[in-house]
Amino acid sequence: MKERTQADLPRLNLRPFFVAAVGLIGGIFLCYRIMASAFRIADAIVFFLFFALLLPPFAWRRALLVLAVFSLAAGLGAGLFSLACGAFSAGAPGGEYTVTGTVERVAVSDGYAEVTLRGLTLDGEKADGKLTATLPGESVRPGDVVTFFADVSRNKGPTEGGNLSDLAANVRYAASPAAYTVVGVSSDLFLCANAALYNVLYGTMERDAAG
């Protein structure tokens, strides 16, 4: 049997995926700048340079294909970012609520625990998104279901001066209650394993090393 040479082997063309990825990122970035009323012409220069580097070797039909892929990906990125911002801003307004949620993450420091809660209810009504809270004491663990009464504030979206990390993690609320009560423990296996690991680390290591 005749051996296949390197020239006979099929080649994977990654250029369309690269163009689409840059378009997706570009659409998200430009949508963010426009929604934040901070768009500048300089923001678009990098994408014009990108086309200037890609287009010369191509025939006009290939150039149009590159432009179409980039435009579709940019439109998709802008649309998804706009929808994410709209969803982030939806939900209950800030105010005083009885909050119940499951502890997803814990970080302790100076007698307080910084936690992220998921599966939220506010005054008994289900609420989308997550909440960060500063709880007194250091006894709370991942997987604990906690409840407290506090003044809950809404985190701003990235187009309003908020953090992109809050949008990415869907952390919509923040609170600092004076007290809280553990009313149950989640049956989520991942959270149970996380709590066990947390107990091992903080029970056998120095706090700075465990954190």
Side-chain angles (χ1 to χ4, degrees):
M1 180 181 293
K2 183 180 178 180
E3 294 184 0
R4 300 179 67 181
T5 63
Q6 186 174 0
D8 296 329
L9 296 176
R11 292 188 300 174
L12 179 62
N13 184 8
L14 297 178
R15 185 177 285 111
F17 300 99
F18 176 68
V19 173
V22 174
L24 189 68
I25 295 172
I28 293 173
F29 175 73
L30 293 179
C31 182
Y32 162 68
R33 297 290 287 181
I34 292 171
M35 292 179 67
S37 300
F39 176 76
R40 297 176 299 177
I41 297 300
D43 294 331
I45 289 179
V46 64
F47 303 110
F48 286 112
L49 292 176
F50 170 75
F51 278 114
L53 292 174
L54 273 187
L55 295 183
F58 297 155
W60 66 272
R61 290 183 180 178
R62 184 70 65 83
L64 289 178
L65 180 60
V66 170
L67 179 62
V69 171
F70 182 89
S71 299
L72 287 174
L76 177 62
L80 291 175
F81 181 79
S82 180
L83 288 174
C85 288
F88 186 84
S89 300
E96 293 186 338
Y97 295 97
T98 297
V99 179
T100 302
T102 302
V103 178
E104 183 179 61
R105 297 178 182 175
V106 181
V108 297
S109 177
D110 298 328
Y112 291 90
E114 299 285 343
V115 303
T116 301
L117 303 181
R118 71 183 192 189
L120 296 176
T121 62
L122 303 179
D123 285 347
E125 297 291 332
K126 182 178 179 180
D128 293 329
K130 300 177 183 180
L131 178 146
T132 56
T134 302
L135 303 180
E138 301 179 357
S139 60
V140 68
R141 295 291 184 267
D144 287 348
V145 180
V146 301
T147 186
F148 56 80
F149 180 80
D151 185 11
V152 177
S153 62
R154 283 296 304 250
N155 292 335
K156 293 181 178 180
T159 59
E160 303 169 329
N163 297 321
L164 282 170
S165 59
D166 287 340
L167 175 65
N170 200 23
V171 178
R172 304 185 188 182
Y173 307 95
S176 297
Y180 70 95
T181 303
V182 177
V183 295
V185 178
S186 172
S187 60
D188 186 293
L189 294 179
F190 177 79
L191 291 180
C192 291
N194 195 5
L197 178 61
Y198 182 97
N199 289 331
V200 170
L201 289 177
Y202 281 87
T204 60
M205 300 175 63
E206 294 290 337
R207 179 162 298 168
D208 291 340

